[in-house]
Amino acid sequence: MTGQTSRVEPGSVAFVTGASQGIGEAIGRRLARDGWHVVLSARRREKLDAAVSRIEEEGGSAEAVVLDIRDADAIHETVSDVGKRLGRLDGLVNNAGRFAGRDILNTSIEEFRLNFIMNLEAPFLTMKAALPFMIERGKGAIVNIGSVSGLRATENTAGYGSSKAGLFHFGAIAAMEVGKHGIRVNTVTPGSTWSPSFAKSVDGKSEEEVEAMQKSGTILGRFGMPDEIGDAVAFLLSDEGRFITGVNLPVDGGAFWFRGGNRMIGKRV
Ligand SMILES: NC(=O)c1ccc[n+]([C@@H]2O[C@H](COP(=O)([O-])OP(=O)(O)OC[C@H]3O[C@@H](n4cnc5c(N)ncnc54)[C@H](OP(=O)(O)O)[C@@H]3O)[C@@H](O)[C@H]2O)c1
């Protein structure tokens, strides 16, 4: 199989949330290429089955489990069942998340809370369910998917940005707690990335407008591809990332640093 670049113990099992499309699907495919058995989870069975088929067509190993991460009991049952059935759980990727872009005055408390339920509580719960299996083997790696909106203040992201900021801090706290068991916890932070939902969010804009957004929003002049997030996650989950824990890795073409206005104008001496 091509693209096998990261070192992964044979038989390793990774659980990925939100893995039926976009960034989560790309993470699943990349992990399978590296030799992981990947458990893809999301709400819609059909889309998950299609993602499993694509991995199997490439010679990888995957299975689908239906899970709505808004349901705390279901998270515990599903993740624990997978760990018991497969006898191990070595990797966990908390990718599924919620984005809603309204200003504070127009954001309901229900919407605000839903961001925290999906972006912060769910990773807390998947981690609680997965950790016993990792502790048993004295080894494991967890990656949470953040967002540039959690690193810098962006208007209209009250619930999203603050829950993603919390996710990074939570990951660092978890890293402190579980390092003694040989378990690493890191955050990968995408900037704008061409997933189906991101593509939908720029629907109606002209090619020129999208081009201008890419140029003014990133150092590298373009938005990311889901595979590029998958590559970073695969590295941090693999043995190649064995000395890295508690960090946040932005994979954003420099979006964190570059917001258009802060490029030097005029001649440089
Ligand atoms: N794309 C970007 O520009 C961007 C930028 C920064 C950060 N991110 C972060 O990257 C992650 C993935 O984003 P994406 O753009 O790839 O998303 P996406 O295209 O909308 O895909 C979302 C995935 O999550 C699943 N999902 C949605 N609600 C769920 C729920 N309640 N329970 C379980 N699964 C659920 C979806 O499948 P079902 O609908 O079938 O459940 C799907 O597989 C998110 O955490 C997002 O915040 C994305």
Side-chain angles (χ1 to χ4, degrees):
M1 179 173 248
T2 55
Q4 195 152 335
T5 51
S6 299
R7 284 174 285 151
V8 173
E9 189 189 307
S12 296
V13 174
F15 190 100
V16 184
T17 67
S20 61
Q21 69 171 38
I23 292 172
E25 189 200 354
I27 292 169
R29 284 176 82 171
R30 172 57 208 264
L31 293 180
R33 278 188 205 129
D34 281 1
W36 293 84
H37 173 71
V38 191
V39 181
L40 307 178
S41 73
R43 290 168 303 175
R44 284 169 290 172
R45 160 71 62 184
E46 262 170 46
K47 286 185 74 94
L48 283 170
D49 287 344
V52 168
S53 299
R54 285 191 285 275
I55 286 177
E56 288 175 344
E57 276 159 25
E58 290 182 2
S61 171
E63 64 180 272
V65 296
V66 171
L67 172 64
D68 185 334
I69 59 156
R70 294 170 298 184
D71 183 340
D73 294 338
I75 291 178
H76 184 77
E77 275 163 34
T78 308
V79 176
S80 301
D81 280 355
V82 165
K84 284 182 202 149
R85 184 164 50 79
L86 301 177
R88 63 192 291 174
L89 204 42
D90 311 87
L92 169 67
V93 184
N94 284 304
N95 165 74
R98 164 100 188 159
F99 175 80
R102 288 203 184 87
D103 65 8
I104 291 166
L105 283 176
N106 290 299
T107 299
S108 67
I109 184 62
E110 290 78 17
E111 177 53 51
F112 189 76
R113 277 185 190 140
L114 192 52
N115 281 272
F116 279 81
I117 287 169
M118 290 182 62
N119 298 336
L120 194 49
E121 287 187 21
F124 164 76
L125 291 164
T126 56
M127 204 182 283
K128 257 176 97 80
L131 280 175
F133 299 98
M134 297 182 176
I135 291 171
E136 201 183 318
R137 296 176 64 82
K139 202 177 173 201
I142 298 169
V143 171
N144 296 322
I145 302 300
S147 168
V148 166
S149 303
L151 299 183
R152 64 177 195 208
T154 310
E155 46 190 0
N156 301 332
T157 68
Y160 182 68
S162 16
S163 58
K164 290 287 191 181
L167 180 63
F168 168 49
H169 200 71
F170 166 66
I173 291 166
M176 297 281 294
E177 290 189 11
V178 300
K180 59 178 175 284
H181 299 292
I183 302 165
R184 300 178 294 103
V185 186
N186 292 296
T187 304
V188 164
T189 290
S192 298
T193 307
W194 288 109
S195 68
S197 34
F198 178 72
K200 219 160 130 196
S201 77
V202 298
D203 244 8
K205 292 199 188 300
S206 69
E207 248 175 62
E208 291 72 28
E209 281 173 312
V210 173
E211 189 65 19
M213 281 165 59
Q214 303 200 72
K215 293 256 179 301
S216 66
T218 64
I219 293 174
L220 297 182
R222 65 172 178 85
F223 296 146
M225 299 306 291
D227 289 1
E228 292 170 322
I229 311 300
D231 289 345
V233 172
F235 164 67
L236 287 171
L237 277 196
S238 78
D239 287 348
E240 286 174 351
R242 64 191 171 279
F243 203 50
I244 304 174
T245 195
V247 307
N248 175 42
L249 175 60
V251 182
D252 63 351
F256 172 62
W257 295 110
F258 179 45
R259 303 193 73 185
N262 54 3
R263 207 169 236 177
M264 190 185 273
I265 299 170
K267 278 192 179 162
R268 289 160 206 230
V269 285

